[in-house]
Amino acid sequence: MKIKIVAVGKLKPYFAAAADEYTKRLQRFCDIEVVSLDEDGVRKESESILKKIKGIYILLDIGGELLSSEEIAAFFSKSLSKGTSEFTFVIGGSDGVNDEVRQNASMKLSFGRVTYPHQLMRVILLEQIYRAMAINANLPYHK
Amino acid sequence: MKIKIVAVGKLKPYFAAAADEYTKRLQRFCDIEVVSLDEDGVRKESESILKKIKGIYILLDIGGELLSSEEIAAFFSKSLSKGTSEFTFVIGGSDGVNDEVRQNASMKLSFGRVTYPHQLMRVILLEQIYRAMAINANLPYHK
């Protein structure tokens, strides 16, 4: 199972430390790769994003589907049972992504109706992917 | 304007650093206090929580209202215009809160349908309160 996160922008040290922690924990379950793209305006960022997408592509989007953690876990296990084992999650920059990046998404996923800074969004996403893996592995996960 | 966050449990260093950063930024706008309660089982935690509540009391709850950041900002400004300037936000521990803590809430607020670790929830909440203040102060807030 391969999971790639494509995100725009750099992380502050404390968010980088949190992201590293979840990335490390995820290595138990999958081949995880985080690709950080430089901030470079929506058009160029979107071009770079499109080049990085492989497998099922999920765009993080405030107006997207509000899945529960269990539903995200089920999404992974269902995809795996259909033979798909490669996933790309995309977090756009502060100014979002262009239409092509939006339209190519297999799913738009939302973590609520509030706007998050993209740095925090990356930590939230990594934690939720880890949580989904823990749910599917029937692992007790409390912190 | 006084804002108190009552939360159960300790934060890992990287989440503590993130929480400190938003707490510091919030001091520009309000008197912000974060009360950390020890993990001590739902019954005792809930008793401690109830003693700390002052003013309008908002419980963070996965099944609560899904407000946008702009709606949270409007909630603050509307409350202020009605003469309420004291708010308590409560984040329960891993095992939640008892019925009394649930029933006393003026509002149940949700940041999505996924389950967050309560540590990360504290960072998310602080960031969203800061965002609401920035919106109401007409401050450009990009990171």
Side-chain angles (χ1 to χ4, degrees):
Chain A
M1 187 171 183
K2 278 187 174 181
I3 296 179
K4 191 195 275 187
I5 294 174
V6 180
V8 176
K10 284 200 173 57
L11 297 187
K12 288 179 184 166
Y14 44 80
F15 285 137
D20 284 351
E21 167 72 24
Y22 289 116
T23 306
K24 211 162 58 188
R25 289 200 212 170
L26 271 167
Q27 285 163 355
R28 176 175 169 186
F29 299 110
C30 59
D31 178 359
I32 172 91
E33 184 191 2
V34 180
V35 180
S36 294
L37 301 175
D38 289 339
E39 295 184 51
D40 199 13
V42 171
R43 195 179 59 83
K44 286 192 178 171
E45 286 165 14
S46 296
E47 276 173 17
S48 305
I49 288 170
L50 285 168
K51 285 182 198 153
K52 299 290 182 187
I53 292 168
K54 282 197 177 168
I56 293 190
Y57 154 40
I58 303 105
L59 176 67
L60 277 281
D61 186 83
I62 193 171
E65 289 184 59
L66 286 160
L67 299 189
S68 68
S69 302
E70 290 72 19
E71 286 167 337
I72 297 172
F75 162 76
F76 278 119
S77 55
K78 214 185 286 179
S79 302
L80 284 170
S81 73
K82 285 186 196 156
T84 311
S85 64
E86 196 161 9
F87 304 84
T88 302
F89 290 84
V90 169
I91 302 171
S94 316
D95 297 321
V97 293
N98 71 10
D99 283 350
E100 204 179 344
V101 173
R102 295 185 64 80
Q103 285 156 8
N104 275 306
S106 308
M107 174 164 70
K108 294 188 187 80
L109 178 62
S110 172
F111 289 135
R113 294 304 178 222
V114 296
T115 307
Y116 294 111
H118 54 88
Q119 296 195 23
L120 181 53
M121 193 72 253
R122 205 187 303 188
V123 177
I124 291 171
L125 174 61
L126 279 162
E127 194 278 332
Q128 284 302 315
I129 295 175
Y130 176 70
R131 185 175 292 266
M133 301 290 145
I135 290 169
N136 284 340
N138 212 1
L139 211 77
Y141 171 48
H142 298 294
K143 289 186 318 166
Chain B
M1 186 170 183
K2 278 187 173 182
I3 297 180
K4 192 196 273 188
I5 294 174
V6 180
V8 176
K10 285 199 172 59
L11 297 187
K12 288 180 184 163
Y14 43 80
F15 286 137
D20 283 352
E21 167 72 24
Y22 290 115
T23 306
K24 211 161 59 188
R25 288 199 212 170
L26 271 167
Q27 285 164 356
R28 175 174 170 185
F29 298 109
C30 60
D31 178 1
I32 172 91
E33 184 190 3
V34 180
V35 180
S36 293
L37 301 174
D38 289 340
E39 294 185 52
D40 199 14
V42 172
R43 195 179 58 82
K44 286 193 177 171
E45 285 166 14
S46 296
E47 277 173 17
S48 305
I49 288 169
L50 286 169
K51 285 182 199 153
K52 299 289 183 189
I53 293 168
K54 282 196 177 168
I56 293 192
Y57 154 39
I58 302 104
L59 177 67
L60 277 280
D61 186 83
I62 193 171
E65 289 183 59
L66 287 161
L67 300 189
S68 67
S69 303
E70 289 71 20
E71 286 167 337
I72 297 173
F75 162 76
F76 278 119
S77 55
K78 215 186 284 180
S79 301
L80 284 170
S81 72
K82 284 186 196 157
T84 310
S85 63
E86 197 161 8
F87 304 84
T88 303
F89 289 84
V90 169
I91 302 170
S94 315
D95 297 322
V97 293
N98 72 9
D99 283 350
E100 205 180 343
V101 172
R102 294 184 65 78
Q103 285 156 7
N104 275 306
S106 308
M107 174 164 71
K108 295 189 187 76
L109 178 62
S110 173
F111 289 134
R113 294 303 177 225
V114 296
T115 306
Y116 294 112
H118 54 89
Q119 296 194 23
L120 181 52
M121 193 71 252
R122 204 185 305 188
V123 177
I124 291 171
L125 174 61
L126 279 161
E127 193 277 330
Q128 284 301 315
I129 295 174
Y130 176 71
R131 186 175 291 266
M133 301 291 144
I135 291 169
N136 285 340
N138 213 1
L139 212 77
Y141 170 47
H142 298 295
K143 287 183 322 161

mmCIF file of all heavy atoms in Angstrom, chain B residues 15-36:
data_model
loop_
_atom_site.group_PDB
_atom_site.id
_atom_site.type_symbol
_atom_site.label_atom_id
_atom_site.label_comp_id
_atom_site.label_asym_id
_atom_site.label_seq_id
_atom_site.Cartn_x
_atom_site.Cartn_y
_atom_site.Cartn_z
ATOM 1 N N PHE B 15 2.616 19.688 20.183
ATOM 2 C CA PHE B 15 1.281 20.288 20.257
ATOM 3 C C PHE B 15 1.254 21.424 21.281
ATOM 4 O O PHE B 15 0.555 22.425 21.101
ATOM 5 C CB PHE B 15 0.228 19.236 20.607
ATOM 6 C CG PHE B 15 -0.103 18.316 19.455
ATOM 7 C CD1 PHE B 15 -0.242 16.946 19.646
ATOM 8 C CD2 PHE B 15 -0.301 18.818 18.181
ATOM 9 C CE1 PHE B 15 -0.551 16.099 18.584
ATOM 10 C CE2 PHE B 15 -0.606 17.979 17.113
ATOM 11 C CZ PHE B 15 -0.733 16.622 17.320
ATOM 12 N N ALA B 16 2.028 21.275 22.347
ATOM 13 C CA ALA B 16 2.120 22.354 23.344
ATOM 14 C C ALA B 16 2.705 23.610 22.709
ATOM 15 O O ALA B 16 2.234 24.726 22.962
ATOM 16 C CB ALA B 16 2.967 21.902 24.534
ATOM 17 N N ALA B 17 3.718 23.436 21.856
ATOM 18 C CA ALA B 17 4.346 24.588 21.188
ATOM 19 C C ALA B 17 3.354 25.279 20.256
ATOM 20 O O ALA B 17 3.285 26.510 20.198
ATOM 21 C CB ALA B 17 5.584 24.142 20.420
ATOM 22 N N ALA B 18 2.560 24.467 19.533
ATOM 23 C CA ALA B 18 1.553 25.042 18.632
ATOM 24 C C ALA B 18 0.481 25.773 19.447
ATOM 25 O O ALA B 18 0.079 26.893 19.110
ATOM 26 C CB ALA B 18 0.923 23.945 17.777
ATOM 27 N N ALA B 19 0.023 25.153 20.528
ATOM 28 C CA ALA B 19 -1.007 25.766 21.383
ATOM 29 C C ALA B 19 -0.490 27.075 21.982
ATOM 30 O O ALA B 19 -1.212 28.080 22.017
ATOM 31 C CB ALA B 19 -1.422 24.795 22.488
ATOM 32 N N ASP B 20 0.770 27.083 22.413
ATOM 33 C CA ASP B 20 1.364 28.300 22.987
ATOM 34 C C ASP B 20 1.392 29.434 21.975
ATOM 35 O O ASP B 20 1.137 30.588 22.303
ATOM 36 C CB ASP B 20 2.808 28.027 23.450
ATOM 37 C CG ASP B 20 2.827 27.260 24.762
ATOM 38 O OD1 ASP B 20 1.758 27.085 25.379
ATOM 39 O OD2 ASP B 20 3.916 26.811 25.163
ATOM 40 N N GLU B 21 1.733 29.089 20.747
ATOM 41 C CA GLU B 21 1.813 30.100 19.691
ATOM 42 C C GLU B 21 0.448 30.787 19.498
ATOM 43 O O GLU B 21 0.354 32.012 19.466
ATOM 44 C CB GLU B 21 2.268 29.428 18.385
ATOM 45 C CG GLU B 21 2.119 30.255 17.121
ATOM 46 C CD GLU B 21 3.119 31.398 17.049
ATOM 47 O OE1 GLU B 21 4.165 31.307 17.693
ATOM 48 O OE2 GLU B 21 2.818 32.390 16.347
ATOM 49 N N TYR B 22 -0.632 29.990 19.400
ATOM 50 C CA TYR B 22 -1.958 30.595 19.199
ATOM 51 C C TYR B 22 -2.436 31.319 20.456
ATOM 52 O O TYR B 22 -3.102 32.352 20.372
ATOM 53 C CB TYR B 22 -2.972 29.543 18.743
ATOM 54 C CG TYR B 22 -2.709 29.076 17.326
ATOM 55 C CD1 TYR B 22 -2.342 27.770 17.054
ATOM 56 C CD2 TYR B 22 -2.806 29.965 16.263
ATOM 57 C CE1 TYR B 22 -2.073 27.348 15.754
ATOM 58 C CE2 TYR B 22 -2.542 29.560 14.961
ATOM 59 C CZ TYR B 22 -2.177 28.252 14.710
ATOM 60 O OH TYR B 22 -1.921 27.851 13.431
ATOM 61 N N THR B 23 -2.085 30.796 21.627
ATOM 62 C CA THR B 23 -2.470 31.456 22.878
ATOM 63 C C THR B 23 -1.829 32.843 22.940
ATOM 64 O O THR B 23 -2.474 33.830 23.299
ATOM 65 C CB THR B 23 -2.011 30.607 24.087
ATOM 66 O OG1 THR B 23 -2.534 29.281 23.938
ATOM 67 C CG2 THR B 23 -2.518 31.186 25.402
ATOM 68 N N LYS B 24 -0.560 32.899 22.559
ATOM 69 C CA LYS B 24 0.172 34.167 22.569
ATOM 70 C C LYS B 24 -0.467 35.158 21.599
ATOM 71 O O LYS B 24 -0.690 36.318 21.938
ATOM 72 C CB LYS B 24 1.627 33.892 22.161
ATOM 73 C CG LYS B 24 2.637 34.806 22.786
ATOM 74 C CD LYS B 24 4.043 34.213 22.733
ATOM 75 C CE LYS B 24 4.494 33.921 21.305
ATOM 76 N NZ LYS B 24 5.785 33.166 21.283
ATOM 77 N N ARG B 25 -0.795 34.678 20.415
ATOM 78 C CA ARG B 25 -1.411 35.570 19.422
ATOM 79 C C ARG B 25 -2.781 36.061 19.883
ATOM 80 O O ARG B 25 -3.187 37.177 19.584
ATOM 81 C CB ARG B 25 -1.611 34.830 18.098
ATOM 82 C CG ARG B 25 -0.327 34.576 17.364
ATOM 83 C CD ARG B 25 -0.636 34.288 15.918
ATOM 84 N NE ARG B 25 0.311 33.354 15.351
ATOM 85 C CZ ARG B 25 0.175 32.782 14.166
ATOM 86 N NH1 ARG B 25 -0.899 33.051 13.437
ATOM 87 N NH2 ARG B 25 1.072 31.953 13.702
ATOM 88 N N LEU B 26 -3.499 35.196 20.606
ATOM 89 C CA LEU B 26 -4.848 35.552 21.069
ATOM 90 C C LEU B 26 -4.834 36.644 22.126
ATOM 91 O O LEU B 26 -5.822 37.370 22.288
ATOM 92 C CB LEU B 26 -5.555 34.307 21.616
ATOM 93 C CG LEU B 26 -6.332 33.497 20.584
ATOM 94 C CD1 LEU B 26 -6.728 32.141 21.152
ATOM 95 C CD2 LEU B 26 -7.582 34.271 20.152
ATOM 96 N N GLN B 27 -3.726 36.752 22.840
ATOM 97 C CA GLN B 27 -3.652 37.756 23.909
ATOM 98 C C GLN B 27 -3.833 39.178 23.391
ATOM 99 O O GLN B 27 -4.157 40.089 24.151
ATOM 100 C CB GLN B 27 -2.317 37.620 24.660
ATOM 101 C CG GLN B 27 -2.355 36.403 25.585
ATOM 102 C CD GLN B 27 -0.981 35.967 26.056
ATOM 103 O OE1 GLN B 27 0.030 36.529 25.646
ATOM 104 N NE2 GLN B 27 -0.929 34.970 26.918
ATOM 105 N N ARG B 28 -3.649 39.337 22.113
ATOM 106 C CA ARG B 28 -3.889 40.646 21.501
ATOM 107 C C ARG B 28 -5.389 41.006 21.518
ATOM 108 O O ARG B 28 -5.756 42.168 21.498
ATOM 109 C CB ARG B 28 -3.389 40.550 20.056
ATOM 110 C CG ARG B 28 -3.653 41.746 19.212
ATOM 111 C CD ARG B 28 -2.979 41.571 17.866
ATOM 112 N NE ARG B 28 -3.416 42.598 16.952
ATOM 113 C CZ ARG B 28 -3.090 42.671 15.690
ATOM 114 N NH1 ARG B 28 -2.305 41.748 15.166
ATOM 115 N NH2 ARG B 28 -3.541 43.629 14.913
ATOM 116 N N PHE B 29 -6.215 39.983 21.504
ATOM 117 C CA PHE B 29 -7.653 40.198 21.339
ATOM 118 C C PHE B 29 -8.475 39.960 22.602
ATOM 119 O O PHE B 29 -9.591 40.444 22.722
ATOM 120 C CB PHE B 29 -8.208 39.263 20.265
ATOM 121 C CG PHE B 29 -7.620 39.483 18.909
ATOM 122 C CD1 PHE B 29 -6.758 38.562 18.340
ATOM 123 C CD2 PHE B 29 -7.930 40.636 18.198
ATOM 124 C CE1 PHE B 29 -6.217 38.777 17.089
ATOM 125 C CE2 PHE B 29 -7.398 40.849 16.942
ATOM 126 C CZ PHE B 29 -6.530 39.918 16.383
ATOM 127 N N CYS B 30 -7.981 39.122 23.485
ATOM 128 C CA CYS B 30 -8.818 38.752 24.630
ATOM 129 C C CYS B 30 -7.955 38.250 25.778
ATOM 130 O O CYS B 30 -6.759 38.033 25.634
ATOM 131 C CB CYS B 30 -9.810 37.649 24.221
ATOM 132 S SG CYS B 30 -8.998 36.150 23.634
ATOM 133 N N ASP B 31 -8.613 38.093 26.894
ATOM 134 C CA ASP B 31 -7.997 37.491 28.068
ATOM 135 C C ASP B 31 -8.203 35.977 27.915
ATOM 136 O O ASP B 31 -9.311 35.487 28.088
ATOM 137 C CB ASP B 31 -8.728 38.067 29.283
ATOM 138 C CG ASP B 31 -8.214 37.497 30.594
ATOM 139 O OD1 ASP B 31 -7.290 36.674 30.558
ATOM 140 O OD2 ASP B 31 -8.763 37.889 31.639
ATOM 141 N N ILE B 32 -7.155 35.274 27.511
ATOM 142 C CA ILE B 32 -7.290 33.843 27.210
ATOM 143 C C ILE B 32 -6.641 33.000 28.313
ATOM 144 O O ILE B 32 -5.524 33.275 28.738
ATOM 145 C CB ILE B 32 -6.696 33.488 25.818
ATOM 146 C CG1 ILE B 32 -6.658 31.963 25.577
ATOM 147 C CG2 ILE B 32 -5.290 34.051 25.625
ATOM 148 C CD1 ILE B 32 -7.874 31.441 24.911
ATOM 149 N N GLU B 33 -7.394 31.991 28.749
ATOM 150 C CA GLU B 33 -6.870 31.104 29.788
ATOM 151 C C GLU B 33 -7.102 29.659 29.347
ATOM 152 O O GLU B 33 -8.195 29.319 28.901
ATOM 153 C CB GLU B 33 -7.625 31.377 31.099
ATOM 154 C CG GLU B 33 -7.101 30.574 32.276
ATOM 155 C CD GLU B 33 -8.015 30.672 33.511
ATOM 156 O OE1 GLU B 33 -9.074 31.327 33.420
ATOM 157 O OE2 GLU B 33 -7.689 30.071 34.539
ATOM 158 N N VAL B 34 -6.074 28.840 29.451
ATOM 159 C CA VAL B 34 -6.236 27.424 29.124
ATOM 160 C C VAL B 34 -6.060 26.615 30.412
ATOM 161 O O VAL B 34 -5.018 26.683 31.058
ATOM 162 C CB VAL B 34 -5.222 26.947 28.065
ATOM 163 C CG1 VAL B 34 -5.424 25.469 27.749
ATOM 164 C CG2 VAL B 34 -5.356 27.770 26.784
ATOM 165 N N VAL B 35 -7.111 25.901 30.806
ATOM 166 C CA VAL B 35 -7.069 25.103 32.021
ATOM 167 C C VAL B 35 -6.930 23.630 31.623
ATOM 168 O O VAL B 35 -7.810 23.076 30.972
ATOM 169 C CB VAL B 35 -8.366 25.288 32.846
ATOM 170 C CG1 VAL B 35 -8.321 24.444 34.108
ATOM 171 C CG2 VAL B 35 -8.591 26.753 33.175
ATOM 172 N N SER B 36 -5.810 23.009 31.992
ATOM 173 C CA SER B 36 -5.603 21.585 31.705
ATOM 174 C C SER B 36 -5.990 20.767 32.928
ATOM 175 O O SER B 36 -5.425 20.964 34.008
ATOM 176 C CB SER B 36 -4.129 21.311 31.410
ATOM 177 O OG SER B 36 -3.745 21.915 30.212
#
